[in-house]
Amino acid sequence: MSTQLMNTPPLLVATDLAAIAVLAFAVYFPRHHRRDLVTAFLGINVGVLAVAMTLSQAAVGIGLGMGLFGVLSIIRLRSYEIAQHEIAYYFAALAIGLLNGIPEETSGLPVALTALLVGTLYVADHPRLFARHRARSLRLDSAYTDEAALRAQLEVLLGGRVVNLSVKGVDLVNDTTQVEVRYVVDAEVRAPRGRVPA
């Protein structure tokens, strides 16, 4: 391999690989148990790292790197199975690869920013953070046109205090109501172990 392609310090490559391993195997998978996305995060990270290392050899490497970030960021995750928190992991994996692939000399900044990204997701996606806050999409077997009555019924059904609700549809013929609700469970209701359902 030419010396030009070795300009990215090995320390930053090691930092990238360590960070994505922690993010995928120690933070994401124990909480969400999606093997397919672990593969995606690893592939995205290492792929972006390799491309960023190559682009950094050009005089406009940083500009090209940010252009790469922009192109990748507009890729729509069209599957309805991809949740918002998983998109956050996706972009973190991408950003970590760029942070450690572009610099041509060892610096504490990429390492610190990488640690910041991993630490932020560890805290922000922790099951104990807002553990009593839940969200549900429900179809009720009654047609509710009175929001107060709907709220009261939802609080009985869900065993908590409704903080936000959005009626998506009321079918007066079939006597159903489609609603999305966010609520806080009562203190005495124990949260399930592991990931709090959303």
Side-chain angles (χ1 to χ4, degrees):
M1 181 179 290
S2 68
T3 55
Q4 276 195 323
L5 293 180
M6 294 297 292
N7 284 355
T8 299
L11 174 61
L12 294 182
V13 176
T15 298
D16 175 82
L17 297 178
I20 194 61
V22 170
L23 191 67
F25 297 115
V27 179
Y28 176 78
F29 189 76
R31 295 177 181 178
H32 304 288
H33 304 284
R34 287 198 59 176
R35 181 179 179 276
D36 58 332
L37 288 184
V38 169
T39 303
F41 299 148
L42 294 173
I44 288 166
N45 173 264
V46 175
V48 168
L49 176 70
V51 172
M53 288 174 63
T54 302
L55 292 179
S56 68
Q57 313 313 312
V60 290
I62 293 178
L64 288 174
M66 295 310 296
L68 171 67
F69 187 90
V71 168
L72 292 174
S73 69
I74 64 174
I75 296 175
R76 301 281 299 177
L77 301 178
R78 298 183 181 277
S79 171
Y80 67 90
E81 297 177 350
I82 301 295
Q84 293 300 312
H85 64 272
E86 290 164 341
I87 295 176
Y89 282 96
Y90 170 89
F91 283 110
L94 190 159
I96 290 169
L98 277 179
L99 281 172
N100 293 285
I102 291 179
E104 296 186 14
E105 58 183 27
T106 300
S107 167
L109 183 60
V111 176
L113 292 175
T114 297
L116 177 63
L117 276 168
V118 175
T120 297
L121 282 177
Y122 174 82
V123 173
D125 191 40
H126 199 283
R128 292 187 179 182
L129 184 66
F130 302 119
R132 293 171 52 208
H133 288 252
R134 313 287 172 80
R136 292 285 185 273
S137 179
L138 303 172
R139 182 181 297 277
L140 305 177
D141 59 356
S142 296
Y144 289 91
T145 56
D146 183 340
E147 183 174 314
L150 174 59
R151 182 181 296 268
Q153 179 63 19
L154 288 170
E155 290 183 344
V156 171
L157 288 173
L158 299 172
R161 176 174 56 88
V162 173
V163 294
N164 182 271
L165 65 86
S166 175
V167 177
K168 298 302 181 182
V170 178
D171 189 335
L172 297 175
V173 175
N174 296 314
D175 199 26
T176 61
T177 303
Q178 181 73 33
V179 59
E180 291 184 1
V181 56
R182 301 185 186 277
Y183 63 103
V184 181
V185 297
D186 293 335
E188 63 270 16
V189 177
R190 292 184 59 188
R193 299 182 66 180
R195 178 67 185 167
V196 176

